[in-house]
Amino acid sequence: MNNKYLIGVDGGSQSTKVVIFDLQGTIVSEGKKALKPMDLPKPGVVEHPEDDLWDSLIDASQEAMSNFSGNKEDIIGLGLCTIRFVRCLLKKDGTLASPALSWMDERVAKPYEHVNSEVAYVTTSSGYITHRLTRQLKDSAGNYQGMWPIDTDTWDWSESEEVFEQYNIPRDMLFDLQYPGTALGHITKEASEATGIPLGLPVVATANDKAVEALGAGMISEDAALVSLGTYIAGMVHGHENPDSPEHYFANFAAVPNEYLYECSGIRRGMWTVSWFKDLLGEELTKKADELGFSPEEYLNKEAAENVTAGSDGLMTVLDWLSPPDEPFKKGMMIGFDGRHTRAHMYHSILEGIALTMKTNVDAMSEELNKTLRSLYITGGGSNGDLMMQIFANVFGIPAKRTKVNGSASLGSAINTAVALEVHPTYEEAIEQMVQVEDTFLPEENKFQFYTRMNHEVYQHITSHTNELLKKSYQLFHES
């Protein structure tokens, strides 16, 4: 089995990644395709254009397979992970009846409305891609969060007619559910020809993208937390029970069957804000970075690390670049400017705002759960920067760890597949064999004390002073 390989698919909010791993979790080949910009035809509507989720998978798969130098017959399985909270409406033949609804679309936060007679099935992004790959009407139970008639205790559809009426989706419009780590079907001839993935390869259920990311980071200990630095930034801890009406978190399905991830409030358009700021600086930043042999991100990190101290000389960023549906008045802001501040301060302040916000949210969840956290895993593209990792360690006051495969949803998909195919008998052994911690950032005590004061005495209270003003400005500009 030493020369066998696993494919991990990570269909994210900004790109689709297809990674081929060996059985020790080492990347041997990969492909990536950026998603197209969202269609925003009117307020509240956010759609993936055309057939972008499937088309990007085709391109990423073809790239990964073309870069693979091994024997394709030694690839033994594929784990499929896609974006959560996406709603796909399918025709009888399994093609899209309308564009896939993004997790940012207001309609996914409401019960389904049957307004298109062509719609035969209502499913998730993983259900849609599973059908394109296998022609099976099956999906992972672990990717059903939000407006679905699912029993979160049994990981299956509810047996209550009232629940189905509440969500307005008849049972015959829903796919059959399976646990993470089970085979959903096999790659069809049509899918193989489109993607280059070997014909007949088993396609294995994983879970929602955040849960699979946690698995790929090796986060199954109850005294560790994970912060996923994606378009949506999430904070999670592992748990065994499905709690009833928690106040400061919600229970999300884990990528391990019958386990849960407790997830606190996060940051909408989290790392998107970092990209927005980089793009705002435009050609000047890119040109300067190129002259010094850096990427724009590396140059910003270097500039901020060398020239800005903890607290960004009083500049603070509130990360409401995308307001929640129930508080549409909220807006992102930077407060505390004076003549000392440069773009490096602004960048540093954004990173601090991310860490401080997640510290507040994770603390509220941990206190309710009566958990003491001893380590922190940071995943996603934002964890590539040493400055971000050190800020998180200093804000949380515990070691911050970065794994070797820090885009860990693809590795989590491979781990689900390894267990499904009995390559590794348990998730614990799979994690031991396939997940490697590459870097650990230790907190600096003086900065931890400073950030604790800054957070408790100032940062947490900003919005209590600005919300009323933002409500008035929202009414003014919304009316106009």
Side-chain angles (χ1 to χ4, degrees):
M1 292 287 286
N2 288 338
N3 293 324
K4 301 299 182 182
Y5 304 94
L6 304 164
I7 298 177
V9 173
D10 173 14
S13 293
Q14 298 188 56
S15 66
T16 296
K17 295 179 282 292
V18 176
V19 185
I20 303 176
F21 296 92
D22 66 19
L23 302 187
Q24 289 72 49
T26 302
I27 295 174
V28 297
S29 179
E30 56 189 319
K32 180 178 179 179
K33 178 66 175 181
L35 296 183
K36 297 176 181 177
M38 297 290 183
D39 281 341
L40 310 168
K42 60 182 179 180
V45 174
V46 186
E47 298 175 335
H48 290 275
E50 301 167 351
D51 201 359
D52 198 30
L53 299 181
W54 173 243
D55 292 341
S56 61
L57 177 61
I58 289 175
D59 290 344
S61 298
Q62 289 178 345
E63 181 181 357
M65 294 306 303
S66 66
N67 291 334
F68 179 63
S69 59
N71 188 341
K72 293 181 180 180
E73 293 180 357
D74 289 329
I75 300 174
I76 59 175
L78 177 150
L80 176 65
C81 170
T82 64
I83 326 167
R84 62 181 178 173
F85 290 110
V86 171
R87 185 182 294 170
C88 294
L89 309 179
L90 310 185
K91 299 177 184 178
K92 192 68 175 177
D93 64 359
T95 60
L96 289 172
S98 58
L101 309 187
S102 163
W103 63 269
M104 294 180 280
D105 194 299
E106 290 182 358
R107 289 170 290 178
V108 304
K110 302 174 183 177
Y112 168 68
E113 294 184 20
H114 190 61
V115 295
N116 182 351
S117 61
E118 287 190 308
V119 175
Y121 302 106
V122 184
T123 187
T124 65
S125 52
S126 56
Y128 170 55
I129 298 299
T130 294
H131 189 269
R132 292 301 299 258
L133 292 173
T134 69
R135 305 307 295 177
Q136 298 296 310
L137 301 176
K138 297 179 181 179
D139 197 4
S140 171
N143 199 26
Y144 280 81
Q145 293 288 328
M147 291 294 170
W148 300 98
I150 191 168
D151 186 327
T152 55
D153 287 321
T154 66
W155 294 49
D156 205 348
W157 298 123
S158 174
E159 296 182 355
S160 168
E161 291 184 8
E162 292 181 359
V163 171
F164 273 93
E165 291 175 0
Q166 176 185 350
Y167 292 103
N168 200 36
I169 309 176
R171 174 64 184 86
D172 61 6
M173 295 181 73
L174 295 166
F175 285 12
D176 294 334
L177 299 181
Q178 293 190 213
Y179 280 125
T182 59
L184 294 162
H186 297 81
I187 297 292
T188 65
K189 180 181 179 182
E190 181 183 16
S192 178
E193 291 175 349
T195 64
I197 297 169
L199 175 67
L201 203 68
V203 175
V204 173
T206 66
N208 60 85
D209 53 342
K210 297 302 182 184
V212 181
E213 195 170 344
L215 178 64
M219 204 277 293
I220 58 173
S221 169
E222 292 194 39
D223 64 356
L226 178 139
V227 172
S228 167
L229 297 175
T231 303
Y232 178 80
I233 296 177
M236 295 166 279
V237 297
H238 195 84
H240 304 290
E241 306 294 333
N242 187 19
D244 183 28
S245 302
E247 183 178 355
H248 295 293
Y249 66 96
F250 70 93
N252 183 15
F253 294 124
V256 178
N258 296 312
E259 298 286 307
Y260 295 88
L261 285 178
Y262 304 142
E263 183 171 337
C264 65
S265 297
I267 302 173
R268 296 159 63 87
R269 285 191 180 169
M271 295 308 296
W272 179 95
T273 306
V274 177
S275 299
W276 165 85
F277 180 70
K278 179 196 70 176
D279 293 342
L280 200 66
L281 297 176
E283 293 182 4
E284 179 186 352
L285 173 66
T286 302
K287 182 178 179 181
K288 184 67 175 179
D290 283 344
E291 290 173 356
L292 298 174
F294 296 114
S295 70
E297 294 86 351
E298 290 170 335
Y299 181 68
L300 279 173
N301 277 302
K302 182 177 185 298
E303 191 175 52
E306 293 177 352
N307 300 306
V308 184
T309 59
S312 303
D313 288 323
L315 183 63
M316 295 171 287
T317 299
V318 177
L319 289 148
D320 286 324
W321 260 252
L322 177 63
S323 59
D326 58 339
E327 295 179 301
F329 62 87
K330 286 195 169 183
K331 299 293 179 184
M333 69 181 85
M334 291 182 174
I335 185 171
F337 278 107
D338 62 38
R340 296 170 294 175
H341 293 127
T342 64
R343 69 184 178 199
H345 287 84
M346 296 170 71
Y347 179 73
H348 195 272
S349 175
I350 292 172
L351 303 190
E352 288 179 324
I354 290 171
L356 290 166
T357 300
M358 295 313 300
K359 168 65 170 171
T360 298
N361 296 344
V362 170
D363 277 356
M365 172 174 61
S366 300
E367 289 170 11
E368 186 174 351
L369 290 166
N370 196 28
K371 285 180 179 286
T372 299
L373 300 179
R374 292 182 171 82
S375 60
L376 181 68
Y377 291 87
I378 310 293
T379 60
S383 64
N384 287 319
D386 288 359
L387 176 60
M388 176 72 98
M389 294 295 300
Q390 190 61 58
I391 287 174
F392 263 97
N394 290 339
V395 167
F396 276 73
I398 54 179
K401 300 180 180 181
R402 178 171 61 197
T403 56
K404 189 172 183 178
V405 181
N406 65 349
S408 58
S410 57
L411 181 56
S413 297
I415 290 172
N416 273 130
T417 307
V419 175
L421 301 179
E422 300 182 345
V423 172
H424 299 301
T426 65
Y427 283 99
E428 289 77 11
E429 183 170 325
I431 287 171
E432 183 178 348
Q433 293 294 322
M434 299 178 72
V435 179
Q436 302 174 44
V437 173
E438 186 167 54
D439 301 295
T440 300
F441 294 77
L442 300 177
E444 301 165 283
E445 183 61 27
N446 62 325
K447 292 183 180 178
F448 170 59
Q449 296 297 333
F450 171 82
Y451 279 127
T452 299
R453 284 195 62 194
M454 176 183 171
N455 201 19
H456 290 170
E457 297 179 15
V458 181
Y459 187 78
Q460 290 182 17
H461 304 288
I462 293 175
T463 55
S464 65
H465 294 280
T466 58
N467 277 350
E468 290 305 314
L469 186 62
L470 288 173
K471 287 178 183 178
K472 293 179 181 179
S473 68
Y474 176 79
Q475 292 172 354
L476 174 64
F477 292 111
H478 188 68
E479 289 172 357
S480 61

